[in-house]
Amino acid sequence: MSALLTGTPLAGRVAVVSGASSGIGAATARRLAALGASVAVLARRKDRLDELIAAIEADGGTALAVAVDVTQRAAVADAAALVAERLGPADLVLNNAGVQLISAIEELKVEDWQRQIDLNVTGVMNVIAAFLPQLTTAADAGRPADLINTSSIAATRILEKFSIYSGTKAYISHLTRLMRVELGPRGVRVASIEPGMVDTELPSHVTDPDASALMEGLLHDIAPLQAVDVAETIAFIAASPRHVNLTEITVLPTAQAV
């Protein structure tokens, strides 16, 4: 149990976590549930979601697994309807699904480019489209409402071979700023979390040998963040008083210089 947040400050809230089958998503779902939220977990891998649900329920939490591909707009809309029916309208959304495929731009790995755009951009937009009406309803009723988008330090750092991934994350970070202008006055808090090196399965998606070796080296050369570290930060954003919006948080390992 973290020394930062104790008790059940999220009791009564309904949280949705996309990309919940592993890493930051899975850790955040467990943390939000431990703090009292009912949590809907979204991802394609149903077996992973079932394991996560079992762990949350074993700890006394409430959770719902929804197997869905967030790149499919209609399927995400159906998922949002199911969440509202089973748990109630969502008032906390972690928009977290993403993929990282690193390669030199001149290699023209257009399939990898498209996969990242489909998941990191289109998938993010589909989740927003499906759940934003539930968030604005909560805000209109005077309840906390949070949309938290997972970006990356790659959104602002200039990193070789990260062109497409960094571009998608820059989109997310700037989209978050722009949405805050519209939704903040409505009472919906919009925030982005930008982690540095995290020890998750994401680096394993990298197929370029040089980039893979670089990331593996970083994981061994420094003490990287753990998924639970990022989850704690996300929970802190959500548990803040309703009038407080922690808009952009960069979380780095202490030893990570760039």
Side-chain angles (χ1 to χ4, degrees):
M1 179 64 70
S2 168
L4 294 179
L5 289 175
T6 59
T8 54
L10 301 181
R13 299 194 64 181
V14 175
V16 172
V17 178
S18 68
S21 59
S22 65
I24 292 170
T28 301
R30 294 192 67 168
R31 189 68 181 116
L32 299 179
L35 294 171
S38 298
V39 181
V41 292
L42 279 56
R44 291 175 300 170
R45 294 179 289 186
K46 180 65 162 55
D47 57 334
R48 294 284 192 94
L49 294 182
D50 289 341
E51 293 173 4
L52 178 58
I53 292 296
I56 290 173
E57 292 179 343
D59 291 337
T62 299
L64 170 69
V66 184
V68 63
D69 180 349
V70 296
T71 67
Q72 304 301 310
R73 184 186 307 163
V76 182
D78 289 343
L82 180 63
V83 171
E85 176 188 338
R86 297 279 297 274
L87 298 179
D91 56 27
L92 168 54
V93 175
L94 175 62
N95 205 357
N96 175 71
V99 66
Q100 182 185 71
L101 303 172
I102 309 306
S103 63
I105 197 70
E106 63 191 298
E107 293 179 32
L108 301 179
K109 292 189 175 182
V110 293
E111 290 84 5
D112 286 357
W113 298 358
Q114 193 62 54
R115 184 179 172 200
Q116 290 175 98
I117 292 167
D118 289 345
L119 187 54
N120 299 0
V121 176
T122 302
V124 164
M125 299 308 300
N126 287 342
V127 170
I128 291 169
F131 288 98
L132 184 56
Q134 297 182 27
L135 293 174
T136 54
T137 295
D140 290 344
R143 303 195 305 275
D146 288 282
L147 172 61
I148 304 170
N149 296 320
T150 301
S151 183
S152 166
I153 62 160
T156 54
R157 272 54 166 188
I158 306 302
L159 304 170
E160 187 179 4
K161 298 187 178 183
F162 278 65
S163 299
I164 307 305
Y165 177 75
S166 292
T168 64
K169 291 302 182 176
Y171 174 91
I172 291 171
S173 289
H174 202 51
L175 172 72
T176 303
R177 300 180 191 110
L178 294 166
M179 290 182 64
R180 190 160 51 246
V181 173
E182 295 188 59
L183 297 175
R186 290 286 306 275
V188 178
R189 299 187 294 198
V190 187
S192 61
I193 183 87
E194 299 184 350
M197 182 61 69
V198 186
D199 188 9
T200 70
E201 69 174 30
L202 200 61
S204 70
H205 299 165
V206 177
T207 56
D208 180 273
D210 292 337
S212 180
L214 172 64
M215 299 186 77
E216 287 295 329
L218 283 173
L219 285 171
H220 287 93
D221 291 344
I222 66 173
L225 298 172
Q226 299 301 310
V228 293
D229 300 321
V230 183
E232 190 63 61
T233 307
I234 293 166
F236 186 78
I237 294 172
S240 297
R242 183 172 180 257
H243 68 284
V244 176
N245 187 7
L246 301 170
T247 58
E248 298 180 37
I249 297 184
T250 299
V251 186
L252 293 179
T254 300
Q256 184 173 352
V258 294

